[in-house]
Amino acid sequence: KQWYQRRVRVVKGADGEEHALKLSLRGRGIVCYPPTGYTEADSKTDKPEQKLKINWVYGYRGRDSQDNIFCLPSKELLYFQAALGVIYNPVTRTQRFYQGHNDDIKCIALNPIDNNIVATGQAAGHDEKEGDPHVRVWNCETLEDIAVLGMGQFQRGVGSVSFSPDGSKLLAVDEGNDHTIYLYDWNKKTKITSQKGHQDPVLGAEFIPNSNSRFITYGKGHIIFWEIEGNKLIKKSGLFEKHAKARFITSLAFTSSGDPVTGDSSGNVNVWNPTERKIAISKPGAHEGTVYSIAVKDDIIYTGGQDCKIKQFKADLSEVDCWQLDAAAHGKVKAIAFCGEDLAVGPTTTECCSVLTEMNRSR
């Protein structure tokens, strides 16, 4: 009852009558209006025995997030909405939920060695005690926590996470002013090292395939190639040379040989030489507007963009095919991921991610 009195206050209308209650829930003010015919005698301050159970989560977070859909070994799709990790079975049309976070999830990564291990990073919450941004590593079969990382270390929120190719290390990018890069040994639940990332926003971080000591970060006006040397992170900027530098580098994937493929806010797609940190092949204007997502399968590059198109390119960036999705239904294509021979698409609309079967898409 003391908790109730401390967190709830009566809101009075212009007529001086009490019309609603205002609750403070994790720092957020919520006004609750009483039912018709409510009397003070109906008031109960004890915590109820009943608990709510989530039945279905509508929507997918594509509005301000991207590259956030994964296919699990069970052929279920993994993504997130609000503070929930969602595991969706497109065959049975059922969902399972991870509920370990206490505020919105901002990023997600799948362990490349054990695809049942997931890392999710959350935004800064409103509750002083429980709202610290942090990373949670969990099992998508049991939905149980394995590790909680970074409590008290991140300033604003976790903007990106990535596992090393051997699955032992985890990168996490802070959304604070310094966009600090953190490196963790998630099995030991310890921080290995950290380093200021960039003065401008960092949109993503990914380990380079077949290397547990090299990774790439990208964002506003930059792409940086990093080397892990003991407890130090050594960074070298990518060189655009004669190629136009877009305002934002917005997406990253890798070919089978480990060459980075980037998309940017000007619609360009570039293949990089990671050793020289230079663009090896460029496709200017591959999309009309931002390239939000890239996926590579059998040396074929697939891109999704602001123009609500999914395009297919060979390794030399010659265009093979293009599929125009319904812009009214999907909006922008913010994520694409393969699930067997099917392609999962994450839109900017509030609809759930769509599964396009056997690459048969509306032209």
Side-chain angles (χ1 to χ4, degrees), residues 33-44:
Y33 295 92
T36 303
Y38 171 83
T39 64
E40 192 171 339
D42 298 325
S43 176
K44 294 182 180 180

Side-chain angles (χ1 to χ4, degrees), residues 92-196:
T92 62
R93 296 186 179 276
T94 55
Q95 294 178 333
R96 298 185 291 124
F97 313 105
Y98 170 73
Q99 303 180 60
H101 286 280
N102 53 39
D103 216 290
D104 286 1
I105 298 174
K106 298 295 294 292
C107 54
I108 190 168
L110 199 61
N111 191 302
I113 300 301
D114 185 348
N115 286 169
N116 288 315
I117 304 300
V118 180
T120 43
Q122 77 165 53
H126 296 266
D127 191 288
E128 293 182 359
K129 294 182 179 180
E130 301 179 1
D132 281 350
H134 61 275
V135 177
R136 305 186 85 89
V137 181
W138 49 280
N139 187 301
C140 62
E141 283 190 326
T142 64
L143 303 177
E144 294 179 351
D145 284 323
I146 300 172
V148 178
L149 307 170
M151 281 288 191
Q153 295 175 356
F154 296 95
Q155 289 183 357
R156 294 182 184 170
V158 185
S160 182
V161 286
S162 176
F163 284 99
S164 59
D166 68 358
S168 67
K169 300 182 183 71
L170 184 69
L171 281 175
V173 180
D174 189 4
E175 291 184 324
N177 293 335
D178 293 328
H179 304 101
T180 302
I181 312 296
Y182 290 92
L183 182 66
Y184 295 98
D185 183 326
W186 63 269
N187 279 299
K188 295 180 180 179
K189 304 177 184 179
T190 58
K191 185 184 82 171
I192 299 173
T193 188
S194 62
Q195 167 84 11
K196 291 182 179 180

Side-chain angles (χ1 to χ4, degrees), residues 241-318:
E241 298 183 312
K242 64 180 180 180
H243 301 280
K245 182 192 290 188
R247 189 175 179 211
F248 286 91
I249 306 298
T250 52
S251 51
L252 172 68
F254 296 90
T255 65
S256 58
S257 59
D259 292 339
V261 184
T262 61
D264 62 39
S265 56
S266 295
N268 307 317
V269 175
N270 297 314
V271 179
W272 293 73
N273 181 321
T275 303
E276 298 182 356
R277 310 187 320 278
K278 297 179 180 179
I279 295 174
I281 309 171
S282 182
K283 182 73 172 180
H287 282 265
E288 299 173 21
T290 302
V291 181
Y292 287 115
S293 185
I294 302 175
V296 180
K297 182 179 175 65
D298 300 328
D299 283 329
I300 299 296
I301 299 167
Y302 297 82
T303 59
Q306 183 177 350
D307 51 9
C308 203
K309 292 178 181 178
I310 297 174
K311 291 193 174 186
Q312 186 183 56
F313 300 92
K314 292 182 180 179
D316 62 1
L317 294 185
S318 58

Side-chain angles (χ1 to χ4, degrees), residues 50-69:
Q50 297 84 355
K51 293 184 178 180
L52 295 176
K53 180 180 179 181
I54 298 173
N55 182 47
W56 188 264
V57 171
Y58 292 88
Y60 149 85
R61 187 159 185 160
R63 170 179 48 86
D64 59 356
S65 183
Q66 60 200 61
D67 284 335
N68 51 7
I69 298 177

